[in-house]
Amino acid sequence: MILVTGFEGYGGRSANPSESVVRALDGAKIGGAQVTGQVLPVDFRAICRIMPEMIDSQRPRLIVSLGLWPGEPMVRIERVAANWSFFELPDNTGHRQQGRVIDDGPDGYLSTLPADAMQASIRAAGLPCRQSGSAGTYLCNATSYVTLHHCAQNHPRTMAGFIHLPYLPSQVAAMMDQVAANGEVEMHQRADTASMNLQDMIEALRIGLGVAWAASQA
Ligand code: PCA
C-alpha cells in the first residue's frame, strides 16, 4: 500500500496544491499498489500524533508526503529532514514550534526515497523536477522528520520522504490581483510567483510513485 499525504491551506491561503494532488491520487492503482490519500491539518501537535498512528494502522510500504513551497517552480524532492523547527508562521491552531521536532530524536534523517531515479523518470516525461537539501523549518520538515523517525524505529522496511510542490496557476493569478489591489509592493518584488498546473503535478507524482514503489519491492 502507498500512503500519500497532503496539507490543507495555511498562512491565509484557502487552497493547497498538495491537497488537490492527494485527492486526485486517492484510490488510484500504481504499479499494482493501492494508493491511499490523506489530507492533513496544518497543526504541529496533531501531526506528531496522526502520522505515527496512521503508519501503525495502515502499514504502508511507501509513504510520500506533499506540501506547498511558495515560489518553487517545479516538483522538488526533499533529501533531508532536520530535527529543528522555526515556525515563522503560526500553524492553523496558532502554535509556533521553536526548537526540536522531537526532543530526544537524532539531529536529522535522510529520505529513504530513490530520489535520483524518481527525478530522472519525471524529467524524462518532460516535467521539471529537482532535489533539495532542506525542507525548511516549518511543518513540512517536521512531518517528514516525524515520519522518518517513526519508520526508522518501528518500520525499517518502509520507504518514506517528502516532496514540495509549486503554487497552482490560479493561486498566483489571485495573488497578483491582490498585489495590484494592495498597492504596497511593485509586482517585480514578488519572488513567489512560479506555478505548475495540476495535471502536470499529478502526472509527475504518478511517475515518481511508480518508480519508488518498484524500488520498494526490489
Ligand atoms: N507547506 C508548509 C506546511 C504545509 C505546506 O503545504 C511547509 O512547507 O512547511
Side-chain angles (χ1 to χ4, degrees):
M1 195 273 260
I2 303 175
L3 175 63
V4 182
T5 73
F7 283 108
E8 61 186 6
Y10 69 101
R13 304 172 186 96
S14 56
N16 191 322
S18 68
E19 173 169 1
S20 311
V21 172
V22 162
R23 291 199 192 286
L25 291 173
D26 183 36
K29 276 231 157 150
I30 295 181
Q34 188 69 36
V35 178
T36 297
Q38 185 72 43
V39 178
L40 302 171
V42 176
D43 175 346
F44 175 81
R45 287 168 293 209
I47 290 300
C48 292
R49 186 172 38 78
I50 291 172
M51 280 314 293
E53 276 175 10
M54 250 181 358
I55 297 166
D56 289 345
S57 65
Q58 300 186 16
R59 300 255 165 185
R61 183 75 181 81
L62 169 65
I63 306 166
V64 175
S65 295
L66 307 173
L68 164 69
W69 187 275
E72 174 59 42
M74 62 188 82
V75 171
R76 183 172 119 183
I77 305 172
E78 300 296 346
R79 278 283 190 178
V80 181
N83 190 7
W84 189 253
S85 288
F86 184 82
F87 281 26
E88 294 170 18
L89 291 177
D91 71 14
N92 287 355
T93 71
H95 175 71
R96 294 178 75 164
Q97 180 70 12
Q98 314 286 2
R100 289 197 174 266
V101 177
I102 295 179
D103 279 338
D104 56 357
D107 288 345
Y109 285 99
L110 297 180
S111 163
T112 50
L113 297 178
D116 289 341
M118 292 167 75
Q119 174 182 275
S121 294
I122 292 169
R123 285 187 189 166
L127 296 166
C129 174
R130 67 182 175 185
Q131 297 178 43
S132 139
S134 170
T137 55
Y138 192 47
L139 191 60
C140 290
N141 171 71
T143 302
S144 182
Y145 185 86
V146 165
T147 302
L148 286 164
H149 184 61
H150 189 68
C151 289
Q153 294 205 313
N154 302 284
H155 308 278
R157 281 173 48 76
T158 295
M159 227 175 222
F162 201 95
I163 297 180
H164 265 119
L165 300 173
Y167 273 130
L168 294 164
S170 56
Q171 291 183 283
V172 176
M175 238 163 58
M176 295 318 276
D177 268 350
Q178 213 173 36
V179 171
N182 291 349
E184 285 167 358
V185 295
E186 294 93 333
M187 295 275 183
H188 64 258
Q189 281 194 59
R190 292 292 295 249
D192 58 345
T193 54
S195 64
M196 190 184 248
N197 79 58
L198 182 59
Q199 285 315 315
D200 283 351
M201 292 199 234
I202 294 168
E203 182 59 13
L205 257 296
R206 277 185 178 282
I207 293 166
L209 290 173
V211 169
W213 177 255
S216 78
Q217 300 302 294

